Amino acid sequence: MEPIIQINHLSKAFGSHVVLKDIDFAVNKGDVTCIIGASGSGKSTLLRCINLLETPTSGEILFHGQNILDRGTNPSKYRAKVGMVFQSFNLFHNMSVLENCMIGMTKVLHKDPEEARQIAMHYLEKVGMAPYINAKPRQLSGGQKQRVAIARALAMEPEVLLFDEPTSALDPQMVGEVLSIIRDLAKEGLTMMIVTHEMAFAHAVSSHVVFMADGVICEEGTAEQIFEHPQNSRTQEFLSRFSR
Amino acid sequence: MLPQSFWGRILFLLNEYGTSLIKGAGVTMVIAIVCTFFGCIIGFGVGIVQTIPLDRKKQPFHWFLLRAVQLLLSAYVEIFRGTPMMVQAMFIFYGAAALFNINMSMWTAALFIVSINTGAYMAESVRGGILSIDAGQTEGAKAIGMTHFQTMLYIILPQALRNIMPQIGNNLIINIKDTCVLSVIGTVELYYTTRGIAGTYYTYFEAFTITMVIYFILTFCCSRILRMLENRMDGPVNYELVMQDPLVAGTGTYRFNEKKHQQFNDQNIDTREGGR
């Protein structure tokens, strides 16, 4: 089966500072890929490159076999199919919760407002935020904001959903509510890529784990391979800090 | 025939010239409001063009064209911010007649000069307003597939407009006061009217006392109205919590008070988790 996203020899440098070096990997339909590694290892940059929020320096990103870094591709159309959930939520401050979830469907997918509203309500119910549809983002807690952000991304019905440290900006008590939603999505077979520091969560949820250090993929494999039998010494060292 | 006391003379002037003062104040307000409006439109146009991101490598021709336009707009902003409006008024009014043989009417000239002046100031305010919006808003919009134009229209500009409302108010108040320099090209606004009245009976102090008060009332009312408008733009402090079927109007809506929100939030009431 052809992978949804195939990354070949991807590199990214900010000036002379090389953040990603020759990254290769593939995301298949239904995969839940967790990217783990120390801060500054290039995890977030990789995810941002996949969504074209950063322009890679070289290499290619194939989406259903099409290189999205080619000049002819329309980044907006591509992004509509690849959702992203951010560490800092990035909800639109000038809109209510419901409007946040509807705007992409009405303006990008050109859906009828009533249909968009029903889809938005469906996903808001799924994340338990349906009671808050009239609230503005500034009136919500961090965990609630992130749940709305997930509903907003889901409402676009993306083929792949990218999570950039979705719980890093949350209080410990709110982490659980966000992770349980992501866990439910994994069960439903949504293709996801998750950059996370929550190792127990990564272990439980992922079908594929990528360990990164200094801009390269040190090791990748199933959750069992990486967490229980890591081969690379850097992976072992990184994971030993979490198990006590 | 002129009353002896100060207040008497003021009453006399009000009685005699009340209508022309109101007319002058009206002209001042029309110029100020219309020009602030057009100035904002110019300012938004220039500010938007100045903040278009283009990749030089990907679209070299578009990039070059955009830079040329941006350079012209910067020149416009710098020239009009950098010279006195009174001098510009003379330059444009007499220059148009001398060089291009265009005889502008007093109204056209007045509206034109104040509008492009306000536009030059607003351009910088709008640019600042756009840049002040957190980059995360743009990224959030891009991540759901919005183009730069859609991101601007639906996400950035509404927020930027709210943020620069105090600046718009500032410009309106400055315009109310600065229309008085248009008297040099013969616009019969409040200041010009007052000078005429003062000269007739040689009552400078009295006439300008009245005008001072009128200017203050105009600017004060405008600043209060704008503040009210800002509050309305912020929307209600409270929101309705919809607990049951949100598609059926009126069922299970509760008034939700933000002051109690924090306490409510700690309990993490949530239909799905059953108040976990």
Side-chain angles (χ1 to χ4, degrees):
Chain A
M1 195 180 66
E2 191 186 52
I4 299 183
I5 292 176
Q6 169 80 49
I7 292 169
N8 295 326
H9 308 295
L10 188 81
S11 296
K12 171 69 184 173
F14 292 105
S16 60
H17 178 52
V18 181
V19 185
L20 295 175
K21 293 169 213 156
D22 203 22
I23 303 281
D24 288 290
F25 82 97
V27 178
N28 291 305
K29 191 165 168 50
D31 270 357
V32 177
T33 310
C34 278
I35 305 173
I36 58 170
S39 294
S41 58
K43 310 182 300 289
S44 288
T45 308
L46 174 59
L47 215 60
R48 291 168 62 83
C49 280
I50 295 175
N51 208 14
L52 294 180
L53 289 174
E54 303 289 352
T55 312
T57 316
S58 64
E60 52 182 21
I61 300 172
L62 303 177
F63 183 68
H64 292 299
Q66 274 273 315
N67 187 4
I68 54 159
L69 300 176
D70 280 346
R71 268 185 192 199
T73 50
N74 182 335
S76 301
K77 280 196 176 139
Y78 163 72
R79 287 196 194 105
K81 295 178 200 154
V82 178
M84 182 137 177
V85 173
F86 298 88
Q87 182 178 348
S88 51
F89 328 124
N90 296 350
L91 291 179
F92 307 134
H93 297 310
N94 55 327
M95 295 179 189
S96 70
V97 165
L98 183 63
E99 287 166 334
N100 260 284
C101 296
M102 283 172 64
I103 183 95
M105 285 187 282
T106 53
K107 302 301 176 194
V108 177
L109 303 178
H110 305 291
K111 281 192 172 148
D112 171 68
E114 191 43 44
E115 189 194 354
R117 186 191 156 83
Q118 275 169 17
I119 296 171
M121 284 312 299
H122 169 75
Y123 286 107
L124 282 167
E125 264 159 41
K126 195 171 188 150
V127 299
M129 287 303 290
Y132 297 89
I133 50 172
N134 297 324
K136 287 281 177 77
R138 65 182 151 87
Q139 295 162 320
L140 301 177
S141 72
Q144 290 174 326
K145 279 186 207 170
Q146 194 60 296
R147 287 189 280 155
V148 174
I150 293 172
R152 178 177 75 180
L154 288 173
M156 297 295 288
E157 298 180 327
E159 290 181 49
V160 186
L161 192 47
L162 312 174
F163 290 85
D164 186 9
E165 304 194 23
T167 57
S168 296
L170 300 179
D171 290 342
Q173 71 211 46
M174 292 170 182
V175 170
E177 66 191 51
V178 171
L179 292 186
S180 80
I181 288 164
I182 302 176
R183 211 170 271 147
D184 289 347
L185 294 173
K187 275 187 208 138
E188 288 168 23
L190 181 70
T191 313
M192 295 189 282
M193 284 185 71
I194 307 164
V195 168
T196 186
H197 290 291
E198 301 282 336
M199 291 305 143
F201 166 76
H203 192 165
V205 82
S206 46
S207 60
H208 192 84
V209 178
V210 173
F211 172 71
M212 286 183 69
D214 295 331
V216 293
I217 294 178
C218 280
E219 193 170 355
E220 60 176 316
T222 63
E224 202 188 315
Q225 280 170 346
I226 301 291
F227 285 105
E228 280 155 42
H229 314 287
Q231 303 298 313
N232 190 301
S233 60
R234 295 193 69 167
T235 319
Q236 288 165 354
E237 192 209 324
F238 177 76
L239 290 172
S240 69
R241 277 182 263 160
F242 291 93
S243 54
R244 62 219 91 123
Chain B
M1 66 184 264
L2 210 60
Q4 286 303 303
S5 73
F6 173 73
W7 294 110
R9 284 195 295 273
I10 285 203
L11 278 175
F12 171 80
L13 288 179
L14 280 176
N15 207 16
E16 203 86 326
Y17 296 105
T19 6
S20 29
L21 281 169
I22 289 169
K23 229 184 209 167
V27 172
T28 292
M29 282 311 289
V30 167
I31 294 175
I33 290 171
V34 170
C35 293
T36 307
F37 177 75
F38 283 112
C40 284
I41 291 177
I42 296 171
F44 267 91
V46 175
I48 289 166
V49 173
Q50 298 282 38
T51 51
I52 294 175
L54 264 191
D55 196 327
R56 188 179 185 172
K57 282 180 209 145
K58 270 188 186 163
Q59 295 165 293
F61 179 71
H62 288 94
W63 182 86
F64 183 77
L65 206 69
L66 180 72
R67 282 317 298 262
V69 174
Q70 284 177 343
L71 212 71
L72 273 173
L73 293 176
S74 299
Y76 154 67
V77 170
E78 293 302 336
I79 289 168
F80 280 88
R81 279 200 315 174
T83 52
M85 194 160 81
M86 196 190 267
V87 178
Q88 290 164 22
M90 298 293 248
F91 182 78
I92 291 170
F93 187 64
Y94 294 108
L99 292 178
F100 305 107
N101 221 6
I102 303 169
N103 281 307
M104 282 198 233
S105 77
M106 178 276 284
W107 273 100
T108 324
L111 294 177
F112 180 72
I113 289 157
V114 183
S115 293
I116 52 171
N117 233 282
T118 313
Y121 280 95
M122 282 307 297
E124 285 299 286
S125 297
V126 171
R127 198 173 67 88
I130 291 171
L131 294 180
S132 74
I133 305 298
D134 174 31
Q137 296 286 306
T138 312
E139 291 188 351
K142 280 185 172 168
I144 58 169
M146 283 197 193
T147 59
H148 174 73
F149 179 74
Q150 287 173 324
T151 306
M152 275 307 206
L153 188 63
Y154 302 118
I155 313 297
I156 306 299
L157 289 180
Q159 294 183 48
L161 177 68
R162 170 62 192 88
N163 285 356
I164 61 169
M165 273 306 280
Q167 277 301 317
I168 293 175
N170 232 349
N171 268 302
L172 178 62
I173 283 165
I174 288 172
N175 280 346
I176 293 172
K177 295 185 300 171
D178 281 7
T179 44
C180 70
V181 309
L182 293 173
S183 59
V184 297
I185 57 165
T187 308
V188 189
E189 38 65 66
L190 187 54
Y191 172 77
Y192 194 94
T193 312
T194 314
R195 238 181 25 182
I197 294 167
T200 316
Y201 291 102
Y202 216 69
T203 49
Y204 281 89
F205 182 47
E206 293 78 359
F208 280 101
T209 305
I210 295 170
T211 301
M212 187 98 167
V213 172
I214 296 175
Y215 270 122
F216 182 75
I217 292 170
L218 295 179
T219 54
F220 188 73
C221 288
C222 284
S223 76
R224 291 293 109 180
I225 290 169
L226 280 162
R227 186 62 62 82
M228 263 164 57
L229 205 68
E230 277 179 41
N231 288 338
R232 258 187 70 174
M233 282 173 91
D234 286 339
V237 184
N238 301 328
Y239 60 92
E240 303 278 335
L241 194 62
V242 186
M243 287 304 261
Q244 278 153 18
D245 189 351
L247 299 175
V248 180
T251 57
T253 51
Y254 298 85
R255 199 95 187 95
F256 194 71
N257 191 324
E258 197 174 36
K259 277 183 190 147
K260 293 181 189 158
H261 182 197
Q262 205 43 54
Q263 163 202 349
F264 200 68
N265 228 358
D266 292 341
Q267 297 164 13
N268 196 10
I269 296 214
D270 172 321
T271 48
R272 189 168 155 279
E273 308 277 352
R276 177 175 54 97

